């Protein structure tokens, strides 16, 4: 991909997610979520988010852009500093806040100004409902995080890293900002095997979290190459099957490009990826 194509792709992704943030579009590719065929609350419930947690969220924070539940994987503890990559309207950041508590902090980073504005506006409701003032949102790219070296205990992200054109740089940045012994827990779309080129050619396939998805083995190898240890990858093919069953427009188009007898779940999956930055070795 040349620089012109990269710039065009990034501009399209920014445009699509700005439309979602401002309410001029319901999804990035025609469904009712991020290529989802169900409402946001039902999708989040299906991914394991607790009803009582969802009920405390500021209105509009859950936009149906999830493909997993990274906060559950991360097991966030009182007093920790949490960084949410691609925080959108603040969904996972606001859920992480009470877990981090008054002694902790949650920082959401997103490249879309409209998303940042939406999340910051919701902070007042979050403070009123929780009594906490521990969540903030920063405009920035996940390839160049506006966060200091070794300043974060936990990094989470939900269906965002696949959107990056330079995933190696994203994982290097995650490693940089984590403290020694810190951990990362990501929910993201991955490929179990390569999709036909025609299925991922349209630009909306990138915004729909499919065209930019890495092969599962390549994602695991990249995380290891960046220096992480205790790497765990759990594949969830049921997500793609649910998108197909719901009649999602993108997945319907993908189906038409697949070999006979194949379906999207044979190729596409949601995955839970977690890893730890090595702790400093004690001096001898």
């Amino acid at each position: 991909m040349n620089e012109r194509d990269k710039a065009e792709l990034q501009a399209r992704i920014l445009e699509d997610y700005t439309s979602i943030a401002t309410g001029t579009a319901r999804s990035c590719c025609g469904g009712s979520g991020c290529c989802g065929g169900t409402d946001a609350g039902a999708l989040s419930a299906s991914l394991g988010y607790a009803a009582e947690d969802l009920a405390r969220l500021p209105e509009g924070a859950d936009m149906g852009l999830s493909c997993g539940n990274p906060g559950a994987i991360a097991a966030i503890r009182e007093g920790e500093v949490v960084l949410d990559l691609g925080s959108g309207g603040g969904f996972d950041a606001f859920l992480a806040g009470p877990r981090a508590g008054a002694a902790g902090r949650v920082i959401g980073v997103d490249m879309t100004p409209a998303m940042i504005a939406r999340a910051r506006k919701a902070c007042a409701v979050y403070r009123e409902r929780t009594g906490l003032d521990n969540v903030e949102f920063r405009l920035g790219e996940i390839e160049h995080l506006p966060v200091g070296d070794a300043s974060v205990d936990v990094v989470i992200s939900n269906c965002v890293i696949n959107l990056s054109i330079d995933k190696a740089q994203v994982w290097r940045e995650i490693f940089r900002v984590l403290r020694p012994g810190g951990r990362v827990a990501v929910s993201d779309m991955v490929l179990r095997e390569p999709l036909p080129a025609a299925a991922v050619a349209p630009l909306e396939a990138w915004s729909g979290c499919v065209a930019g998805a890495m092969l599962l083995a390549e994602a695991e190898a990249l995380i290891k190459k960046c220096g992480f240890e205790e790497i765990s990858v759990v594949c969830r093919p049921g997500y793609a099957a649910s998108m197909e069953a719901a009649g999602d427009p993108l997945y319907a188009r993908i189906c038409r490009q697949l070999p006979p007898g194949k379906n999207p779940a044979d190729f596409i999956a949601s995955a839970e990826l977690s890893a730890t930055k090595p702790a400093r070795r004690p001096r001898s």
Side-chain angles (χ1 to χ4, degrees), residues 2 8 29 36 38 48 63 79 113 132 145 153 180 192 222 235 249 269 281:
N2 59 41
E8 180 183 1
C29 57
T38 186
M63 292 182 284
L132 296 167
L145 291 166
D153 297 297
R192 306 172 76 190
L222 175 58
C235 191
R281 300 180 186 276

Side-chain angles (χ1 to χ4, degrees), residues 29-235:
C29 57
S32 60
C34 184
C35 293
T38 186
D39 67 89
L43 174 63
S44 297
S46 74
L47 294 171
Y49 287 92
E52 56 269 27
D53 290 336
L54 296 175
R56 286 194 293 266
L57 281 171
E59 288 76 8
D62 185 2
M63 292 182 284
L65 303 178
S66 302
C67 63
N69 187 346
I73 312 167
I76 297 162
R77 297 186 289 266
E78 180 85 18
E80 290 188 317
V81 177
V82 182
L83 176 63
D84 182 13
L85 307 190
S87 49
F91 178 52
D92 286 297
F94 288 133
L95 291 174
R99 293 176 172 84
R105 189 110 195 125
V106 180
I107 303 165
V109 172
D110 202 284
M111 74 168 187
T112 310
M115 286 290 189
I116 292 294
R118 181 173 179 145
R120 286 174 175 170
K121 184 177 180 180
C123 282
V125 176
Y126 168 79
R127 290 192 294 267
E128 180 181 340
R129 292 184 179 179
T130 64
L132 296 167
D133 186 15
N134 64 345
V135 177
E136 65 171 293
F137 297 94
R138 301 178 184 177
L139 181 66
E141 298 176 344
I142 61 175
E143 298 87 354
H144 308 284
L145 291 166
V147 180
D149 295 354
S151 61
V152 172
D153 297 297
V154 186
V155 172
I156 61 174
S157 186
N158 198 340
C159 215
V160 171
I161 295 178
N162 69 82
L163 296 171
S164 174
I165 303 167
D166 191 351
K167 296 171 182 60
Q169 175 62 17
V170 174
W171 282 100
R172 287 192 292 268
E173 278 290 272
I174 293 172
F175 193 88
R176 176 184 68 81
V177 303
L178 278 173
R179 293 181 175 128
R183 59 200 188 279
V184 54
V186 167
S187 296
D188 205 13
M189 300 303 293
V190 296
L191 297 181
R192 306 172 76 190
E193 59 179 283
L195 279 163
V200 294
L203 284 178
E204 59 263 33
W206 268 90
S207 293
C209 305
V210 173
M214 294 184 71
L215 285 167
L216 191 60
E218 291 179 355
E220 187 171 4
L222 175 58
I223 297 169
K224 184 176 181 180
K225 183 178 180 180
C226 288
F228 288 95
E229 58 186 19
E230 299 177 2
I231 300 167
S232 172
V233 180
V234 179
C235 191

